[in-house]
Amino acid sequence: MWPLLAMWLASVYAVASTVCYIVYAIDKAAARRGERRIPERVLLLLGFLCGWPGGWLAQRRLRHKTAKTSFQVRFWISVACNLAALGWLCWGY
């Protein structure tokens, strides 16, 4: 059971992180061009839905959303909530 769950979770995180990274990159490009942006709540939701590793990587590599303290606080709260849910899923029942 555990190896199957671990593979499934790794796949979910990999796909969600890739999607999240791409969305951050699209938002960064829009910001540079002065075009319409992706709402922060979408970026945060993607991070919460297992995409936070890709979001974190995009923040570092693209230097996107790193200076905005209010976003960073909400981002790390969403990471903590995601990890708490993961912990509950894996060890809570």
Side-chain angles (χ1 to χ4, degrees):
M1 171 80 176
W2 278 104
L4 183 59
L5 179 62
M7 283 182 52
W8 181 80
L9 283 172
S11 298
V12 168
Y13 273 86
V15 169
S17 291
T18 301
V19 169
C20 195
Y21 188 97
I22 290 168
V23 172
Y24 268 79
I26 291 168
D27 187 50
K28 177 69 174 190
R32 286 183 174 163
R33 292 189 305 261
E35 295 176 355
R36 187 174 186 145
R37 305 281 302 279
I38 295 170
E40 286 185 353
R41 68 180 175 272
V42 172
L43 299 175
L44 293 168
L45 179 62
L46 289 173
F48 175 73
L49 297 175
C50 303
W52 67 265
W56 177 81
L57 185 61
Q59 289 176 26
R60 299 297 163 253
R61 283 194 165 173
L62 305 174
R63 296 182 185 197
H64 191 49
K65 297 290 187 184
T66 56
K68 190 169 183 184
T69 304
S70 63
F71 181 84
Q72 285 296 305
V73 168
R74 290 180 291 155
F75 175 78
W76 288 108
I77 289 171
S78 72
V79 170
C81 290
N82 176 267
L83 292 176
L86 177 63
W88 176 84
L89 176 67
C90 293
W91 297 282
Y93 60 79

